[in-house]
Amino acid sequence: MLQDIPKLGSTDPKISKAAALNIIQHVTKDKGELEYLVKRLVNGLESVRVSTRTGCYSTLAALLGLKKVDPFNLFDLMQKALITNKKSTKRERRLIYIARILCTGVIYRTTPITELCKDEEFVKASLTDIVDLSTKKSSYFQLATPFLTHVLQDSSLTQENFDKSIWPCLSLFFESKRKKRKTEDDEEEEEEEEEEEETGASDIFCCKVQIALLCKNKGFKNEFDCLQDVKKIAKSLLTCKIEFTKTFLANLFKHLAGTTENEDFWTTIVENIKPTQFDLLCESVEAAIEAKIPASSIITKTLLTHLLSVFKQKDVEFHAKARTAIGKLLKWDKSKEDGSMGKKQRKAVLRILFGEESPNLLEEYKHVHTVIRPFLYSLKPRDLGTLHGIITTHLETPGLGVRMTLTHLQFLGRIAQCRNVNPEICFEIGKRLLNIALGVEKLVIKVKVEKEKKEEDGDEEQEEEEDDGVSEEDAQQQVQQSTLDLVKSVLFSAYNFEFMDSLSEYVVENSKQLTSDPDTLKILKSIKKAIKKFSNPQFKYILSAYGIRVLLDEHQVLKTSHETVNTLIEMAKGLEDEEEMGSELIKFILSTVLKEAHPAFDYEGMFNKMIIDGQVKEDVIQAFADAIDVNIEEGGEEVESSDDDESLADEELEKLQAQLNGGGNESGTGSEEDDDDEEEEEAAPPKKKAKNIDPKPSKKPDDHGSDSEESIDMDEATEEDLKSMNSALAKVFAVKKSMKEEQHGEVRALMRTLRLIEIYIQRHVKGMPVSALLILMMPVIHSIESALKMKKNTGLTTKVIGILDNINRTKKFVGCDDAVEGTLASIATDLYEMANMAKYKLIRELLEHSVILITKCFLQKSRLSKKENKRFIELYVNAASTAKEKLKKRKIAKNKKGLLVQTSRFVRVALETLPDWPSGKQAIHDKINEN
């Protein structure tokens, strides 16, 4: 033990902790040395080394917690050992004071206050001592405050104990003119207090406020003079150096919640805070929001100026803190509890955040757009209308540069894409963006001034103008082109029938003002007639979208859009049934829309709505299956079989497996351990073979020394030869570019198709029609096999594997009795065979889960066929038998965790996750336990 005591002061936590454990074990066996140990630990608390004080404090806390030391005896020992006299130096007294606070504090930390209050003399003596020491110096008060805080926060503290034992001592803190006890070292103490009066007054005041807040918030005492002056609290907080800022702020805002004093506090904070105290500002914002202080009481232009000013600095850490604080401010009205704002308050706050006066969030939109987007989507229709009015006023005010004009237009587009926005406002935004994109409306844009005038202006104004350093004509073209792309984005992401109908009606009625092209006008006229003739909303929605798209890209898509519109109209003429119309529209999306580089409308939103309305039938699911059940190998180059490629695929699949396992699998992965038999089941990677490099046979030169008759000698080439060579190369590159675009288009269409299938599965996760399961299962698996053969296919592989995983999570099936007898057993058998042949572990496990899924589907039938039931039983019994033979052959009895391995993961997962199936489970258990 004597060797371990000095190790308590080690700066290495591991060494210090090990020494403490050894000491505690020693005194547990030999209790006679406990008294000596406690004396050494108490003396260690006055060490000049912080690490020694920490080690002794922790060991004392452990002994008190284990009931090895009596807290009252420890306090008596402290009073005898840690004393000062006239011979004590200033440094010695300081260390003794610290040790007394720590020794008393460790008793408060480890012993419930109800036990301590049984000895009133101890409570009075200990609290009086710690109060006297705290008033000597602000650093002592800061050291003692966490211990006093712990006492007040003790859940066992009652009002009776507080009034009788605690408050009589703590009240000394709050006496205006307190008589100080005279000690032997009065003179030097008075000198220290005079120095402290100048340097630590704010620290002492904040500590007193912390204690007062705890007493008030816990309901022990309500009246405190120090809590009356909120401005003084704010100024003290800005000048003090307390280490418990977060706790202090949490208690303070709990006190200020529901009062008007919080506005005075915030005004004082934001007007007097220094740039170096940015952390304190962010902590104050977060604490206020958590205390449900209304945002209208917090958000001011001055606060916004402080938060946005850090984005002009290069410190990324401050950028993140500012974004977090702004994100907290923008989380409004999650519930109707305290903190909600009225209509006028919300308007006022929105004008501060986005109004014309600088600064506003739009000026730093590139830094804060990640927190503004969720804020927009959470706003109520009324608030979105207010924002629309604010941004519209901005755009109509001259003086915005190109960058800020584009930012405001982009923000308008975001408002139009919000789900809660009113159709009227959405239409107004769409109409205005369309007019700007087509050049019908031109905004007043502040453009670059002449160089001579720039030199006369200030540097800041010059920098701002240089950001928009373009001519007026270039500025208008830039805004027009950016708005054109923005309109396409709004049309593609805002699925709103009323909005599209209103915008289409506006386009048709004002077509001559928007365009002068006769072909475009002809298309718009045919669309107008078709919309009046047919009533199907999806059909009208698609036609309207293509009509607007023709206006936006009339030179690029005029021909294709004309053909698309005619195809739609002809298709609609032969259909009268609404359900049949819906199915044909989805097939049209699969065959045409998904192949377009930039679709004209939100096909995902439309498909989702059709699922909800029950318009997606079996023929549509079959169309999806046909679309993905293709040889993807044609859309990409097949990878040559090599070890490097295989290892790369394994790494990618391991990442995918980690992602899927992270979300949890309903089918279950069984136990988490990896079986040794399955690990050995993986084929060992083949040894790398040396590549046989056969030299290519050299071509025999012809009589003229060239490799071919068509080759050209560059030294003797004429200008005509060079022109013909250029034209030939141009054709080659054009063909290659066309082939590459076509390949990308096929993969893009496939990804979009998979996304629609994913939406369908997610909508039916609690009850999928069996017909949809049978139609989709094998095409999805074929897609996985084909995707693994493609280069750079991570995105496609991830998507299709995710779809199969989502299918495996299905909990219930609808129409199980409609499945033809024997079909489910045949599919399960095929899937099991494919799983055994799978090259990658992830694919094998997914296929095994699919087998279990098909079994669940069979067991949900109202009446089980004996013949089909027998086939399922044979499948699992054979799987158990195969696993048993492998285990016996390889003599594997235990896995990594030492648990008994009796069968494969597949069989274990089936036994754990399959519903009630007595005959099947009994047969499997019999096979596993068979000798």
Side-chain angles (χ1 to χ4, degrees):
M1 186 180 71
L2 293 176
Q3 293 177 352
D4 284 324
I5 289 176
K7 294 179 182 178
L8 292 174
S10 174
T11 54
D12 188 347
K14 293 182 179 179
I15 296 175
S16 179
K17 184 179 179 180
L21 289 173
N22 291 336
I23 290 170
I24 293 171
Q25 290 174 356
H26 177 78
V27 295
T28 301
K29 296 177 181 178
D30 189 355
K31 297 181 180 180
E33 297 182 359
L34 182 60
E35 184 178 353
Y36 169 76
L37 171 65
V38 173
K39 290 181 180 179
R40 285 288 302 269
L41 294 176
V42 170
N43 290 330
L45 292 176
E46 60 176 317
S47 172
V48 68
R49 298 177 69 243
V50 176
S51 59
T52 300
R53 295 201 296 265
T54 304
C56 293
Y57 175 90
S58 301
T59 308
L60 275 175
L63 292 171
L64 286 166
L66 294 170
K67 307 295 183 182
K68 303 294 182 183
V69 177
D70 182 70
F72 305 111
N73 293 337
L74 177 61
F75 184 74
D76 293 338
L77 177 63
M78 178 203 75
Q79 287 184 314
K80 296 176 182 179
L82 302 175
I83 56 175
T84 59
N85 53 44
K86 289 183 178 181
K87 295 181 179 180
S88 301
T89 64
K90 183 178 178 180
R91 181 184 182 187
E92 288 173 346
R93 282 198 310 276
R94 183 176 66 84
L95 294 174
I96 289 174
Y97 294 157
I98 291 173
R100 291 178 72 91
I101 293 172
L102 290 175
C103 192
T104 307
V106 75
I107 295 173
Y108 291 160
R109 284 280 194 181
T110 55
T111 311
I113 193 63
T114 50
E115 293 186 17
L116 296 178
C117 287
K118 293 178 182 178
D119 188 341
E120 294 183 11
E121 293 183 1
F122 162 78
V123 175
K124 182 178 179 181
S126 61
L127 281 176
T128 302
D129 184 56
I130 206 168
V131 168
D132 286 339
L133 293 174
S134 299
T135 54
K136 290 180 182 294
K137 198 174 183 181
S138 64
S139 58
Y140 301 156
F141 207 158
Q142 285 201 53
L143 181 62
T145 300
F147 300 127
L148 297 174
T149 298
H150 183 80
V151 171
L152 294 172
Q153 288 179 329
D154 194 324
S155 59
S156 64
L157 180 61
T158 62
Q159 184 70 47
E160 181 183 357
N161 288 334
F162 176 82
D163 295 335
K164 187 176 180 180
S165 305
I166 306 298
W167 178 246
C169 300
L170 294 183
S171 62
L172 301 176
F173 280 132
F174 305 99
E175 292 180 359
S176 56
K177 292 183 179 179
R178 182 190 162 203
K179 294 181 179 180
K180 298 175 183 176
R181 293 189 305 163
K182 298 293 182 179
T183 59
E184 297 177 354
D185 48 351
D186 279 342
E187 295 180 0
E188 295 193 24
E189 286 181 11
E190 288 175 2
E191 292 177 4
E192 290 181 8
E193 289 172 4
E194 289 176 2
E195 295 176 4
E196 193 59 36
E197 191 173 348
E198 298 178 359
T199 58
S202 59
D203 294 1
I204 292 176
F205 181 74
C206 285
C207 291
K208 290 181 180 180
V209 170
Q210 167 77 339
I211 294 172
L213 287 170
L214 282 169
C215 292
K216 186 178 184 301
N217 292 339
K218 295 285 286 187
F220 296 129
K221 187 173 178 59
N222 294 324
E223 299 297 330
F224 290 94
D225 293 337
C226 61
L227 299 181
Q228 301 301 320
D229 193 348
V230 178
K231 293 183 179 179
K232 183 180 178 181
I233 296 175
K235 290 180 180 179
S236 299
L237 182 62
L238 292 173
T239 55
C240 71
K241 298 179 180 179
I242 58 176
E243 297 180 357
F244 47 87
T245 308
K246 290 186 177 180
T247 307
F248 179 87
L249 290 171
N251 290 317
L252 177 61
F253 285 116
K254 186 177 180 180
H255 162 66
L256 295 176
T259 67
T260 57
E261 295 177 343
N262 62 78
E263 296 181 5
D264 295 334
F265 173 83
W266 275 108
T267 303
T268 307
I269 285 287
V270 298
E271 288 181 355
N272 297 281
I273 200 165
K274 299 176 182 178
T276 55
Q277 296 175 306
F278 186 73
D279 287 341
L280 175 61
L281 182 66
C282 293
E283 289 175 359
S284 300
V285 170
E286 294 180 21
I289 296 299
E290 289 176 3
K292 299 179 181 178
I293 301 292
S296 56
S297 302
I298 304 172
I299 299 175
T300 61
K301 275 295 180 186
T302 311
L303 174 63
L304 202 60
T305 302
H306 288 304
L307 292 175
L308 295 179
S309 62
V310 299
F311 293 115
K312 296 178 181 178
Q313 304 174 11
K314 295 182 180 180
D315 195 335
V316 180
E317 183 180 354
F318 280 125
H319 291 189
K321 291 179 179 179
R323 268 193 297 271
T324 302
I326 293 171
K328 295 279 186 182
L329 290 172
L330 295 180
K331 290 183 179 179
W332 292 0
D333 287 353
K334 294 295 182 183
S335 62
K336 294 184 178 180
E337 300 175 3
D338 295 337
S340 60
M341 296 181 291
K343 181 179 178 181
K344 292 183 179 179
Q345 291 175 318
R346 297 167 76 95
K347 276 189 176 182
V349 171
L350 287 173
R351 292 190 183 281
I352 292 173
L353 294 173
F354 301 97
E356 298 177 27
E357 295 182 11
S358 183
N360 60 58
L361 293 181
L362 293 180
E363 292 179 1
E364 299 295 341
Y365 186 71
K366 64 179 180 180
H367 293 293
V368 297
H369 66 89
T370 53
V371 294
I372 288 180
R373 288 180 186 177
F375 167 69
L376 280 178
Y377 298 147
S378 67
L379 287 180
K380 298 178 180 178
R382 183 175 56 205
D383 298 324
L384 291 171
T386 302
L387 262 183
H388 171 244
I390 293 172
I391 304 303
T392 301
T393 305
H394 267 279
L395 289 172
E396 293 173 353
T397 304
L400 288 178
V402 175
R403 182 179 65 84
M404 288 306 300
T405 300
L406 293 177
T407 299
H408 284 74
L409 291 173
Q410 185 179 2
F411 195 71
L412 272 182
R414 291 290 178 193
I415 295 174
Q417 295 173 31
C418 294
R419 293 183 178 179
N420 294 334
V421 67
N422 288 327
E424 296 81 6
I425 293 177
C426 191
F427 166 65
E428 290 296 327
I429 294 174
K431 181 176 71 173
R432 183 163 197 182
L433 294 178
L434 186 65
N435 287 333
I436 295 172
L438 298 176
V440 177
E441 178 184 350
K442 292 189 177 181
L443 301 173
V444 180
I445 302 173
K446 184 179 178 181
V447 296
K448 183 178 178 181
V449 296
E450 296 178 0
K451 186 176 181 181
E452 296 179 359
K453 187 176 180 180
K454 273 189 177 182
E455 294 174 356
E456 296 175 2
D457 297 333
D459 293 337
E460 294 182 1
E461 184 179 354
Q462 182 176 348
E463 289 179 5
E464 183 180 352
E465 289 171 347
E466 285 178 353
D467 290 340
D468 301 327
V470 292
S471 64
E472 184 175 356
E473 184 179 353
D474 292 339
Q476 292 292 347
Q477 289 181 355
Q478 187 175 346
V479 169
Q480 188 174 339
Q481 182 59 43
S482 298
T483 311
L484 187 70
D485 297 332
L486 182 59
V487 175
K488 296 177 187 176
S489 177
V490 171
L491 293 176
F492 177 68
S493 58
Y495 181 68
N496 190 320
F497 281 118
E498 295 182 32
F499 160 68
M500 191 68 79
D501 287 342
S502 301
L503 193 60
S504 175
E505 184 178 351
Y506 170 78
V507 167
V508 172
E509 292 179 355
N510 301 274
S511 56
K512 293 183 179 179
Q513 298 177 7
L514 299 174
T515 182
S516 58
D517 184 75
D519 293 332
T520 303
L521 293 171
K522 185 178 179 181
I523 294 176
L524 294 177
K525 188 176 180 181
S526 62
I527 289 175
K528 181 179 180 180
K529 292 180 180 179
I531 289 177
K532 290 182 178 180
K533 185 176 180 181
F534 299 99
S535 60
N536 186 282
Q538 286 89 6
F539 176 75
K540 295 169 69 175
Y541 173 76
I542 295 176
L543 269 185
S544 301
Y546 274 103
I548 299 169
R549 187 59 180 272
V550 169
L551 276 178
L552 298 175
D553 290 329
E554 59 183 17
H555 298 294
Q556 289 91 342
V557 301
L558 186 60
K559 183 178 179 181
T560 55
S561 293
H562 191 282
E563 294 174 354
T564 302
V565 169
N566 288 335
T567 302
L568 275 170
I569 294 173
E570 291 298 323
M571 178 190 73
K573 287 180 180 178
L575 301 174
E576 296 181 358
D577 185 26
E578 288 289 329
E579 291 186 1
E580 190 177 356
M581 172 75 80
S583 298
E584 291 300 321
L585 286 175
I586 295 177
K587 294 176 183 178
F588 166 77
I589 292 174
L590 287 172
S591 62
T592 306
V593 179
L594 299 186
K595 296 180 180 179
E596 297 175 354
H598 303 286
F601 60 94
D602 182 11
Y603 59 85
E604 287 188 17
M606 175 178 166
F607 181 67
N608 199 13
K609 183 68 167 58
M610 294 179 76
I611 294 175
I612 296 173
D613 294 341
Q615 299 183 36
V616 180
K617 305 299 181 182
E618 285 187 18
D619 57 337
V620 173
I621 303 302
Q622 186 61 56
F624 280 124
D626 295 339
I628 65 172
D629 195 9
V630 295
N631 189 4
I632 309 178
E633 191 176 321
E634 296 176 358
E637 299 177 3
E638 187 175 354
V639 182
E640 294 180 0
S641 177
S642 68
D643 296 324
D644 295 336
D645 292 332
E646 290 177 9
S647 61
L648 178 62
D650 285 331
E651 291 175 4
E652 296 294 340
L653 287 171
E654 284 176 7
K655 293 178 182 178
L656 294 174
Q657 188 173 20
Q659 294 174 2
L660 293 176
N661 291 340
N665 196 323
E666 181 66 23
S667 301
T669 55
S671 53
E672 296 178 357
E673 72 275 6
D674 290 325
D675 297 337
D676 289 341
D677 60 315
E678 292 194 2
E679 289 179 0
E680 293 191 15
E681 192 177 322
E682 296 285 343
K687 296 181 180 179
K688 292 187 177 181
K689 297 180 181 179
K691 294 183 179 180
N692 298 324
I693 304 176
D694 296 330
K696 294 182 179 181
S698 57
K699 296 181 179 180
K700 294 182 180 180
D702 55 15
D703 296 339
H704 301 286
S706 61
D707 291 342
S708 66
E709 295 180 358
E710 298 180 357
S711 61
I712 300 175
D713 189 348
M714 297 302 294
D715 294 333
E716 299 178 359
T718 62
E719 187 174 350
E720 293 180 357
D721 293 336
L722 294 176
K723 286 182 178 180
S724 62
M725 182 183 296
N726 287 338
S727 61
L729 287 173
K731 291 179 180 179
V732 171
F733 287 127
V735 170
K736 286 189 174 182
K737 183 179 180 181
S738 176
M739 291 174 61
K740 191 173 182 180
E741 289 178 353
E742 185 177 352
Q743 292 173 0
H744 283 305
E746 291 178 0
V747 175
R748 182 175 59 238
L750 185 57
M751 288 287 286
R752 291 171 176 172
T753 305
L754 293 171
R755 172 57 187 153
L756 294 181
I757 294 175
E758 187 177 33
I759 292 173
Y760 179 83
I761 294 170
Q762 291 172 352
R763 278 286 176 186
H764 293 85
V765 68
K766 293 183 179 180
M768 179 184 290
V770 171
S771 57
L773 172 68
L774 299 179
I775 292 172
L776 289 174
M777 179 65 77
M778 296 310 293
V780 169
I781 293 172
H782 294 160
S783 296
I784 294 176
E785 293 175 343
S786 300
L788 290 172
K789 297 178 182 179
M790 294 176 60
K791 283 184 178 180
K792 300 178 181 179
N793 65 334
T794 307
L796 182 59
T797 306
T798 303
K799 176 65 72 175
V800 72
I801 285 178
I803 288 175
L804 183 57
D805 185 59
N806 284 331
I807 292 176
N808 290 338
R809 294 172 188 267
T810 306
K811 298 178 180 179
K812 191 176 180 181
F813 298 94
V814 179
C816 295
D817 293 334
D818 296 336
V820 179
E821 183 178 345
T823 303
L824 295 176
S826 299
I827 293 176
T829 304
D830 293 342
L831 289 173
Y832 180 68
E833 291 176 358
M834 294 172 69
N836 290 333
M837 297 172 62
K839 184 178 179 181
Y840 302 108
K841 182 180 178 181
L842 172 61
I843 306 303
R844 183 176 70 249
E845 290 181 357
L846 282 171
L847 291 173
E848 289 173 350
H849 293 155
S850 298
V851 174
I852 296 172
L853 182 78
I854 297 296
T855 310
K856 290 179 181 179
C857 181
F858 166 71
L859 295 176
Q860 289 181 19
K861 283 188 172 185
S862 59
R863 182 177 175 276
L864 302 182
S865 167
K866 291 184 179 181
K867 184 177 180 181
E868 194 167 12
N869 186 48
K870 183 178 179 181
R871 291 181 63 185
F872 274 104
I873 293 175
E874 289 176 354
L875 187 152
Y876 287 99
V877 169
N878 291 336
S881 176
T882 303
K884 193 169 186 178
E885 291 177 1
K886 289 181 178 179
L887 291 171
K888 188 182 296 184
K889 182 178 180 181
R890 296 173 185 173
K891 298 180 180 180
I892 297 175
K894 294 184 178 181
N895 62 8
K896 292 179 180 178
K897 295 185 178 180
L899 300 175
L900 186 63
V901 176
Q902 296 179 327
T903 187
S904 64
R905 177 193 296 271
F906 166 60
V907 178
R908 285 202 314 275
V909 173
L911 289 172
E912 292 171 2
T913 60
L914 285 175
D916 188 25
W917 189 26
S919 59
K921 290 188 176 183
Q922 185 61 46
I924 298 171
H925 281 298
D926 291 343
K927 176 55 68 175
I928 293 174
N929 298 324
E930 185 180 59
N931 294 327

